[in-house]
Amino acid sequence: MAGSRAAKLERLVRVQRQLERMAETLLSQTVREQVSVDDTRSALVDAVGSFDPVHAAMSRNYAQRFQRLSAKSQQLEGMKSVQEKRVLTERTKADRLADQAAAAASNEERAATDETLLDLLDATMKRR
């Protein structure tokens, strides 16, 4: 075996934590995009409600853009939900692997202690 079970599990924990950070990064990008879309929608509502003749002439364009932004907002909300679940899944996997790595390290330490005690007992028995 190239390494101990605990060392392999620790490496997997590091990889899993990296996957978790990547999922969190994607989620934060989606949230930032959602905020941007919501700000734009709010600006469009203000423009449509304005009494400025320029905005009145562009009301049809504003309505179409608002409709597209609403569709994009719904799409981003769905993506956000999926990404939140993925972050939770990746975090859970990493936590489980960390628990398994700790248990493996404990088992290896116990086995090493037992082996040392057996070696000591053997050495003592050979002297007699």
Side-chain angles (χ1 to χ4, degrees):
M1 201 184 280
S4 69
R5 179 168 165 36
K8 289 178 181 179
L9 285 171
E10 282 297 325
R11 188 179 67 226
L12 284 174
V13 168
R14 287 192 305 272
V15 169
Q16 194 62 44
R17 293 293 181 198
Q18 182 65 27
L19 289 173
E20 178 185 346
R21 284 190 294 274
M22 289 169 55
E24 287 174 344
T25 301
L26 286 174
L27 176 61
S28 68
Q29 288 173 347
T30 302
V31 168
R32 277 194 297 271
E33 193 172 346
Q34 175 105 32
V35 167
S36 174
V37 167
D38 290 343
D39 289 346
T40 305
R41 286 175 56 191
S42 176
L44 282 173
V45 167
D46 292 342
V48 168
S50 171
F51 291 112
D52 190 354
V54 172
H55 293 304
M58 303 288 287
S59 64
R60 181 170 183 229
N61 292 337
Y62 290 160
Q64 290 173 347
R65 182 145 187 234
F66 186 83
Q67 185 178 14
R68 286 191 306 270
L69 286 173
S70 295
K72 186 170 185 170
S73 180
Q74 287 177 349
Q75 179 185 15
L76 288 171
E77 191 62 39
M79 288 173 54
K80 179 181 163 189
S81 174
V82 168
Q83 289 170 353
E84 286 172 344
K85 289 176 187 173
R86 181 167 179 222
V87 167
L88 184 60
T89 301
E90 299 297 341
R91 184 172 294 139
T92 302
K93 285 181 188 178
D95 291 344
R96 286 183 185 155
L97 282 171
D99 291 344
Q100 290 175 6
S106 175
N107 290 341
E108 288 174 6
E109 184 179 321
R110 189 173 336 125
T113 303
D114 290 349
E115 188 65 31
T116 303
L117 290 175
L118 287 174
D119 289 344
L120 184 61
L121 183 61
D122 285 343
T124 305
M125 294 302 281
K126 286 181 182 180
R127 283 189 198 167
R128 290 186 180 180

